[in-house]
Amino acid sequence: MKWHDLNGDTCPLARAMGVIGDRWTLLILRECFLGVRRFDGFQKRLGVTRHLLAERLKRLETMGVLERRPYQERPLRHEYRLTTAGKEFAPVLLAMQDWAQHNLPSAEPAPFTFVTRDSGAKVCPVLTDRDSGQELNHRTVLMVPATTAASKVIEAHRRAPSTNSDLGPETDSSTISDTG
Amino acid sequence: MKWHDLNGDTCPLARAMGVIGDRWTLLILRECFLGVRRFDGFQKRLGVTRHLLAERLKRLETMGVLERRPYQERPLRHEYRLTTAGKEFAPVLLAMQDWAQHNLPSAEPAPFTFVTRDSGAKVCPVLTDRDSGQELNHRTVLMVPATTAASKVIEAHRRAPSTNSDLGPETDSSTISDTG
DNA sequence: ATAATGAGTTCCAAAATAGAACTAACAAAT
DNA sequence: ATTTGTTAGTTCTATTTTGGAACTCATTAT
């Protein structure tokens, strides 16, 4: 499988990994959210090689996450800014930071935090359902193959509830088709 | 910079990339959430080489995201299951899937969806603040360096509000220190 | 006795990444 | 007028990672 193949995958998660599935891209986005916009700014703060940085910025631009725009002429210079798609990545960053802080412990505190714009209070992110307001996590949500009627999976699940519940069905099989 | 260096980074996002910062790991987790548990199950569904799969599963185990447990003896066989840390990754997966579906379009529909366990309705994920209930996105949240007093950043921001707001401060500088 | 299953490991080729030096287009300082 | 500095890259080689296929090992099924 080639790197680029993920970008055409039908699975949105695979497409997402086609964008951020490497050591640097997410860190570049982090810097964007912190206000960095220029090549040397990214390079100095991340320590990434100039070669890779150039390649990644180009890819982010191609994918519509960043846009490259001139900020001066003579000599012509460009800076990189988050597009709307890029800015909408913020909740993913928040959820990820929250997960890592709880599950990948570190001796040092995080070098930055997320605060609300109006009060400046540190945020406590929870994913919820827009309609029901219900909290969304592995206990409340199920991941179902599109071919499977959701009701069927839920019914099967109700008949054999698991003490060890997670997002998915609890069976001993190693394939999805066996569980649906 | 070596791969492994990220795992000791003070930035939680960097540590997270130390776990999922490659083409395959997140897809392996996706399969876990869909109920896959065995080596050959992952291998057949993903098409990843057996070599890399073995390496990735080992790493996920080391990082405490998956646990390896015997499911039979004679011959001894193990399966991989999400630990608590692994299950808590669900909101990240949801946020990411939602972002990709909105921002990385595809001709085909997604091969799976997230539904609530109790009603089976498709979920509509929104990140909110546990305390205020406020929606968390690039318009409501600010990412601030830990050294900076949040109030300072917000005050500066209020004096020079941006029409093009994103998570971070709006300045022309390429370094953070200039903005705080 | 022969094939199949499940979970890997080993080997080599191909691709990606690291690290450093080099270029181009100008501006500022001496 | 020449040297130095800035910004945004590109080019080069060496090292690491990944891809692809075949091989192992223990055990069950035919």
Side-chain angles (χ1 to χ4, degrees):
Chain A
M1 200 210 226
K2 296 279 155 56
W3 226 127
H4 195 73
D5 293 0
L6 285 175
N7 297 336
D9 203 288
T10 64
C11 172
L13 291 171
R15 291 202 302 283
M17 290 322 275
V19 179
I20 60 155
D22 70 280
R23 299 199 220 6
W24 296 112
T25 303
L26 193 100
L27 302 182
I28 292 172
L29 291 178
R30 176 191 73 190
E31 296 304 312
C32 289
F33 279 113
L34 283 167
V36 177
R37 291 183 184 159
R38 297 182 188 175
F39 193 91
D40 276 27
F42 293 113
Q43 203 279 315
K44 288 196 185 74
R45 287 180 51 87
L46 294 173
V48 57
T49 65
R50 310 178 72 74
H51 179 49
L52 270 219
L53 178 58
E55 201 275 327
R56 294 298 185 256
L57 289 171
K58 212 167 285 174
R59 190 146 57 86
L60 284 168
E61 196 197 349
T62 304
M63 303 305 274
V65 177
L66 295 183
E67 62 174 337
R68 188 162 167 277
R69 58 158 86 160
Y71 67 88
Q72 71 170 37
E73 303 183 346
R74 323 205 47 75
L76 183 58
R77 292 278 179 266
H78 297 89
E79 63 180 10
Y80 297 87
R81 281 165 174 262
L82 292 162
T83 60
T84 301
K87 291 174 189 177
E88 286 182 0
F89 195 72
V92 181
L93 228 56
L94 260 160
M96 215 154 145
Q97 144 115 342
D98 193 57
W99 177 78
Q101 260 179 337
H102 290 333
N103 296 290
L104 304 174
S106 162
E108 312 281 323
F112 55 81
T113 57
F114 292 97
V115 301
T116 67
R117 278 182 196 266
D118 47 82
S119 77
K122 208 169 281 183
V123 303
C124 180
V126 201
L127 202 67
T128 57
D129 186 58
R130 163 110 45 204
D131 307 318
S132 68
Q134 183 184 206
E135 183 170 339
L136 302 177
N137 59 38
H138 63 92
R139 278 179 297 275
T140 59
V141 172
L142 205 56
M143 195 172 180
V144 298
T147 50
T148 311
S151 55
K152 226 168 153 185
V153 176
I154 288 165
E155 188 43 44
H157 208 260
R158 201 163 276 156
R159 275 199 301 276
S162 167
T163 55
N164 182 25
S165 82
D166 62 33
L167 259 191
E170 289 289 329
T171 70
D172 284 318
S173 83
S174 60
T175 64
I176 287 306
S177 44
D178 291 338
T179 78
Chain B
M1 200 209 227
K2 297 277 156 55
W3 226 128
H4 194 73
D5 292 2
L6 285 174
N7 297 336
D9 203 288
T10 64
C11 171
L13 290 171
R15 292 202 301 283
M17 290 320 277
V19 179
I20 61 154
D22 71 278
R23 300 199 220 3
W24 295 112
T25 304
L26 193 102
L27 302 182
I28 291 172
L29 291 179
R30 176 191 73 190
E31 296 304 312
C32 288
F33 279 113
L34 283 167
V36 177
R37 290 183 185 158
R38 297 184 188 173
F39 192 93
D40 276 27
F42 293 111
Q43 203 278 317
K44 288 197 184 76
R45 287 181 51 87
L46 293 174
V48 57
T49 64
R50 311 178 72 74
H51 180 48
L52 271 217
L53 178 59
E55 202 276 329
R56 293 297 185 255
L57 290 171
K58 212 166 284 174
R59 189 146 58 87
L60 284 167
E61 196 198 348
T62 304
M63 304 304 274
V65 177
L66 294 185
E67 64 174 336
R68 188 162 166 275
R69 57 159 85 160
Y71 68 89
Q72 71 169 37
E73 301 181 350
R74 325 206 47 77
L76 182 59
R77 292 279 179 265
H78 297 90
E79 64 181 9
Y80 297 87
R81 281 165 175 261
L82 292 163
T83 60
T84 301
K87 292 174 188 176
E88 286 181 0
F89 195 72
V92 181
L93 228 56
L94 259 160
M96 214 154 147
Q97 143 115 344
D98 193 56
W99 177 77
Q101 259 178 336
H102 290 321
N103 297 290
L104 305 173
S106 161
E108 311 281 324
F112 56 81
T113 57
F114 292 97
V115 300
T116 67
R117 279 182 195 266
D118 47 83
S119 77
K122 209 169 280 184
V123 303
C124 179
V126 201
L127 203 67
T128 57
D129 186 58
R130 162 108 51 206
D131 306 319
S132 68
Q134 183 184 206
E135 184 170 339
L136 303 177
N137 59 39
H138 63 93
R139 277 179 296 274
T140 58
V141 172
L142 204 56
M143 195 173 179
V144 299
T147 50
T148 312
S151 55
K152 227 169 153 184
V153 176
I154 289 165
E155 188 45 42
H157 208 258
R158 202 162 277 155
R159 276 199 300 279
S162 167
T163 55
N164 182 24
S165 82
D166 61 34
L167 258 192
E170 290 289 328
T171 70
D172 285 318
S173 84
S174 60
T175 64
I176 287 306
S177 45
D178 292 337
T179 77

